[in-house]
Amino acid sequence: MTGAAGGIGLALSARFARAGAGVVMADVEGEELRRRAADLTAAGARVTAVTADLTDPGAVARLADTAFEVLGDIDVVCNNAGVLGPVGQPLWEVPLERMRQVFEVNHWAHVLVARAFVPRLLERGRPAHLIHTASMSAFVVGAGSAAYAASKHADLAVARSLRADLRGTGVRVSVLCPGRVDTPMVRGLTAPRGAGGATTVSAEDVAEVVWDALGSDRFYLFSNPDAPLRLREQFDDVRRHAPFPSPSAEEELWPAPTATTVARKQ
């Protein structure tokens, strides 16, 4: 479980531990990670805290070694580390170094974790599930969010590629695309124009979405009830630029949303 010192990563760790699973929690924020792990241990959880900079290939390799050593067989890998980075600035004003830092955590760290864990999961030959945390920003892009949104688009592409690469094996892949979640990362933040969405859910709500999907073939995991409408707006924009042959063919490919697709119980 990466990015486990707070937010979605901590909620996932708590949900898995509550179900009786052993959990290896990893984060670069070592002091906060140890405090959170101690709280879970005091509540009866079996957790191991590993301080790791996931942008460092050597640290990721050591994390994988520790996880397999502690847990033996691994059933689920949650590739969840992420940072928000600069928001509210147009692309040409975002410092390049800040943009690179966002990509290092939100994209490259996920690549490194997948490369460290997936071959060993395949070698073990057991069913397993890889969860990549992307974002609704992998689909919906507002003003002033170039660094974050671009990194999440990249992570969505990695997850889709892994899904194709692992088809026919016992390793399933899902991509988690939450909208606004009530975590310390976004509290007090005014979302850039067009990027926020109308709903907020808790990190625990997101953890339940993941838990319910484990072992299934669900690839896209959405947590917020306004996700269908936000996605439709994006795909409608694509449709306006696509050369469909006729209005009737267009309607068949893009049917109007029904009440059951829009109103999703959380």
Side-chain angles (χ1 to χ4, degrees), residues 84-95 98 102 137 141-149 180 185 188-196:
L84 187 60
V87 295
Q89 295 175 282
L91 174 65
W92 58 91
E93 291 182 4
V94 176
R98 294 290 307 283
V102 172
S137 290
V141 182
S145 58
Y148 183 77
R180 191 177 180 94
M185 187 171 78
L189 174 71
T190 300
R193 185 178 69 258

Side-chain angles (χ1 to χ4, degrees), residues 18 28 41 44 85 104 116 119 131 137 140 146 158 165 198 231-232:
R18 191 165 70 249
V28 71
T41 299
E104 284 290 326
I131 307 290
S137 290
V140 182
V158 165
D165 292 338
L231 291 168
R232 181 172 176 82

Side-chain angles (χ1 to χ4, degrees), residues 107-214:
H107 172 58
W108 285 112
H110 288 202
V111 170
L112 292 175
V113 168
R115 289 170 63 92
F117 279 84
V118 169
R120 295 170 74 162
L121 294 175
L122 291 172
E123 287 174 6
R124 302 255 170 160
R126 287 166 44 89
H129 207 139
L130 178 63
I131 307 290
H132 269 251
T133 301
S135 169
M136 279 298 292
S137 290
F139 298 95
V140 182
V141 182
S145 58
Y148 183 77
S151 70
K152 293 301 183 178
H153 275 66
D155 201 44
L156 172 60
V158 165
R160 292 181 66 183
S161 180
L162 281 167
R163 183 193 190 195
D165 292 338
L166 291 167
R167 187 168 286 119
T169 75
V171 181
R172 293 180 170 89
V173 180
S174 296
V175 62
L176 176 62
C177 301
R180 191 177 180 94
V181 182
D182 183 20
T183 66
M185 187 171 78
V186 301
R187 283 176 193 152
L189 174 71
T190 300
R193 185 178 69 258
T199 64
T200 300
V201 298
S202 71
E204 289 72 25
D205 291 332
V206 178
E208 284 299 325
V209 170
V210 172
W211 182 259
D212 290 344
L214 292 180

